[in-house]
Amino acid sequence: MANAPLAETLPQAGAAGGRKVVNEVSGWLRVLDDGTVDRTWTGPPEALPLMQPVPPYAAPRDGHTLHDLPGEPGFRVYLPEAGGGRLPVIVHLHGGGFCVSHPSWLMYHHFYSRLSCTVPAVVVSVELPLAPEHRLPAHVETGVAALRRLRSIALAENGGALDDPAAKLLREAADVSRVFLIGDSSGANLVHFVAARVSQHGAGTWAPLRVAGGIPIHPGFVRATRSRSELEVRSDSVFFTLDMLDMLDKFNAMALPVGATKEHPFTCPMGPQAPPLESVPLPPMLVAVGENDLVRDRNLEYCDALRAAGMDVEVLLSRGMSHAFYLNKFAVDMDPSTGERTQELIDAITSFVARN
């Protein structure tokens, strides 16, 4: 996995070639009339350091090593120094409204390196395609492909699968019979659909790989009508100081299949357009919800729907916290409340993995 630059280098609108902006999500991206996408960050400058790529390192730092494993799809692998046999695997599906973000960014690194060492577990962060160049279900297909690749590495299939030293280290450390899917925001949506796809195939198809649990954190679930939390909650997230509701709507419009509304199953798996949850095979789920998250009410609606369908679901409500609070390294380090809630989240994940 290359350390992706923050954005493509593209001329400004109206510059050489006469390219113009035809669609825009303020702060995050601009779509030009030739189909190219400029993801140069133009939002609050204090958020920019969180988006800087962290290079991999083979020498241990803070109890782990960090490896990039190029391929289809690319992996970023956190390996804790914890000894004593193979470790469970946490497969991370990053957020970003399906349209932006990269696993190498600092905001993911600071949390998932810490999580890897605490559980302890191998963390495999997946490089996902981005909309609008790649609309859903491309992200779901890539999540499933990531599990196929993980299984192939575990079985040392396809001849050259272990040619990369990082692949050998991953194979030696990973217990693929205990795989947990985790995702932030839109990545949490993917946890639901990737877990369901794997379960639909049957255990024999995937053996020895087994998805033992799903951990959607602040999933980006919405409906055509605004929920109470969307209308009343004021977000204090460094990423969403602009109009978050407008941003979510635009990201979804760029990512959902052409012609779909927010009631589409990818953004509303508990809605009337989605298969009945009773028919969806899901592993045990730990759903993390932010009390001050704009999508809090839809997150809780999803949890209630899982319970009503007889699913094994746990809910962690982070009091006083907004969307993806735990990814803001500076708040985690400097604000006691954010630090405490982040530790609670890590403790809940650690307990969930240990019990499943």
Side-chain angles (χ1 to χ4, degrees), residues 2 5 38 40 57 74 88 96 99 134 175 193 201 214 278:
D38 179 3
T40 305
Y57 41 85
C99 295
H134 305 280
D175 176 4
F193 291 97
H201 292 162
E278 293 84 354

Side-chain angles (χ1 to χ4, degrees), residues 91-356:
V91 174
H92 170 231
L93 305 170
H94 66 77
F98 307 112
C99 295
V100 296
S101 191
H102 192 272
S104 66
W105 286 5
L106 174 65
M107 65 179 185
Y108 298 120
H109 176 267
H110 94 92
F111 181 78
Y112 286 99
S113 60
R114 178 176 169 184
L115 183 66
S116 175
C117 293
T118 302
V119 172
V122 175
V123 173
V124 176
S125 191
V126 181
E127 188 169 12
L128 296 172
L130 301 177
E133 301 97 320
H134 305 280
R135 287 180 176 263
L136 290 159
H139 308 64
V140 178
E141 300 296 341
T142 300
V144 175
L147 295 182
R148 287 197 188 100
R149 187 179 187 207
L150 181 60
R151 177 180 181 274
S152 179
I153 290 172
L155 295 174
E157 292 180 340
N158 301 325
L162 300 182
D163 285 349
D164 191 303
K168 294 180 181 179
L169 292 172
L170 175 57
R171 182 178 185 272
E172 291 168 357
D175 176 4
V176 296
S177 71
R178 297 182 64 214
V179 172
F180 296 82
L181 301 176
I182 193 169
D184 326 276
S185 192
S186 60
N189 298 35
L190 300 178
V191 168
H192 175 98
F193 291 97
V194 173
R197 281 278 300 275
V198 171
S199 297
Q200 286 169 351
H201 292 162
T205 303
W206 287 92
L209 186 144
R210 179 180 68 95
V211 174
I215 309 169
I217 307 178
H218 307 171
F221 295 147
V222 291
R223 282 187 179 271
T225 56
R226 301 292 193 199
S227 67
R228 181 175 177 180
S229 62
E230 288 176 84
L231 295 173
E232 296 182 1
V233 171
R234 296 188 63 184
S235 173
D236 58 359
S237 169
V238 67
F239 301 109
F240 305 132
T241 55
L242 305 170
D243 186 344
M244 183 180 176
L245 294 178
D246 180 63
M247 181 194 74
L248 288 175
D249 287 348
K250 288 187 173 181
F251 275 153
N252 286 329
M254 291 181 180
L256 287 170
V258 174
T261 71
K262 291 188 290 184
E263 295 287 342
H264 191 282
F266 288 139
T267 46
C268 191
M270 62 287 191
Q273 295 184 21
L277 284 173
E278 293 84 354
S279 69
V280 179
L282 292 173
M285 303 285 272
L286 169 63
V287 184
V289 181
E291 183 182 34
N292 292 347
D293 192 344
L294 293 175
V295 293
R296 176 200 65 208
D297 288 353
R298 295 304 182 210
N299 284 188
L300 294 175
E301 180 185 352
Y302 172 70
C303 295
D304 289 342
L306 290 179
R307 289 195 190 98
M311 301 293 182
D312 182 353
V313 57
E314 303 173 33
V315 180
L316 173 68
L317 181 67
S318 296
R319 299 290 181 184
M321 293 294 107
S322 59
H323 196 75
F325 69 91
Y326 58 97
L327 296 181
N328 184 347
K329 173 176 168 51
F330 308 116
V332 171
D333 290 346
M334 294 184 288
D335 176 61
S337 293
T338 304
E340 290 172 7
R341 298 294 86 75
T342 299
Q343 186 60 53
E344 286 178 1
L345 175 59
I346 289 174
D347 290 345
I349 295 169
T350 301
S351 174
F352 180 77
V353 171
R355 289 181 281 109
N356 291 281

